[in-house]
Amino acid sequence: MKSGILAAAAAAVVVTASVGAEAGLLDTVKSRGFIQCGVNAGLPGFGSPDSAGNWTGLDVDFCRAIAVAIFNDPTKIKFTPLSAQQRFPAIQSGEVDVLSRNTTVTLTRDTSVGLNFAPVTYYDGQGFMVNKKLGVKSAKELNGATVCVQSGTTTELNLADYFRANNMEYKPVVIESEAEVNAAYFAGRCDVRTADVSDLAATRGSVASGAQDHVILPEVISKEPLAPAVRHGDDQWFDIVKWTINVTIQAEEFGITSKNVDEFVNSKNPDILRFIGTTPGMGKALGLDEKYAYNIIKKIGNYGEIFERNVGPATPLKLERGLNALWTKGGLQYTAPFR
């Protein structure tokens, strides 16, 4: 009986500590007055600053959406540029509140690294880019090639697995900095640049001249679901990040955009009224304003708007929606119900 009482007391302590942790980060962020977001040090289309220090990109916009959810102000944010090696220590230590830096969801990152991943914001896969002058049409023709790859990424392991599985040899040129990897490739230190296809598209699109001289090969050799992440132990914070991403996806499914959102405030659809905050409950459940979803859509836009302005066909990356289309249009973007 005594052991049972002690166990119950211990459980109560755990629950109390958990509740404290859940509320802690949100309160800290509100008290601080801004969120700290870890982003890529310079990946056009996903996260990069301009000459004036203004950050843009798909990952950046999702950080801003979180700031809007909490403060109704997309400027209440501090961006911390992180390399692939710096990103996990930064989120683990609390240097940043959320990591939104083209990071692949994996089992070990979800467990031993101590991350909780929000919904996938970009479905990607690893590919290869070569100069057209090599005459290579397929990754199966890369036997003996020298390959530039960034260290500290899933890309290294995928590269080794692919060549081993296809009984091919290769010579890796492993470099820590993404900018230096790209510089090495364009300087001719390697025959091939391997990275996520979106990364390759950004790299090719950033070339001032000669972008047309480089081709991304058709093979996609891995699954790279990219998603924002928070550290374990802050369930309420995780919920806020998760349902902020979901807002952008659900808004596109409803046909709600930054330009027409006001037309839906008095909709006859009860699902939309709950979602938009006209019918209360969803915001309170997260510890946020009831109009948090409305505010996100009004100031940041839906998922489609975020995609198109950062990486879509009209941008230097020229990426099609593909797997990132809504589930209703043959893609994988799908959200749980707002109920």
Side-chain angles (χ1 to χ4, degrees), residues 145-291:
T146 302
V147 184
C148 279
V149 60
Q150 187 180 12
S151 62
T153 65
T154 56
T155 310
E156 283 186 277
L157 179 59
N158 294 337
L159 176 65
D161 286 348
Y162 180 78
F163 274 80
R164 186 181 302 114
N166 287 281
N167 197 30
M168 297 191 304
E169 300 290 333
Y170 75 103
K171 298 175 183 178
V173 176
V174 183
I175 303 173
E176 179 177 340
S177 164
E178 183 166 22
E180 291 178 5
V181 175
N182 292 335
Y185 168 73
F186 288 118
R189 286 182 57 193
C190 47
D191 305 309
V192 186
R193 170 77 165 100
T194 187
D196 293 349
V197 172
S198 63
D199 194 334
L200 297 177
T203 300
R204 184 174 62 177
S206 67
V207 180
S209 62
Q212 68 279 1
D213 294 333
H214 301 271
V215 60
I216 298 173
L217 300 179
E219 288 84 358
V220 177
I221 68 170
S222 70
K223 294 184 294 184
E224 306 294 335
L226 309 179
V230 300
R231 58 190 170 275
H232 284 176
D234 289 290
D235 289 346
Q236 184 186 26
W237 184 251
F238 178 41
D239 288 344
I240 289 170
V241 174
K242 176 170 58 179
W243 286 95
T244 293
I245 306 303
N246 282 338
V247 162
T248 68
I249 299 169
Q250 184 61 65
E252 185 179 12
E253 185 176 333
F254 278 143
I256 306 175
T257 71
S258 58
K259 295 179 175 61
N260 69 13
V261 61
D262 289 318
E263 300 173 15
F264 290 84
V265 173
N266 296 311
S267 170
K268 302 298 183 182
N269 185 331
D271 288 334
I272 291 178
L273 294 178
R274 273 194 304 272
F275 173 70
I276 214 77
T278 303
T279 301
M282 300 298 100
K284 182 180 179 182
L286 292 168
L288 301 175
D289 188 276
E290 293 292 1
K291 293 182 65 178

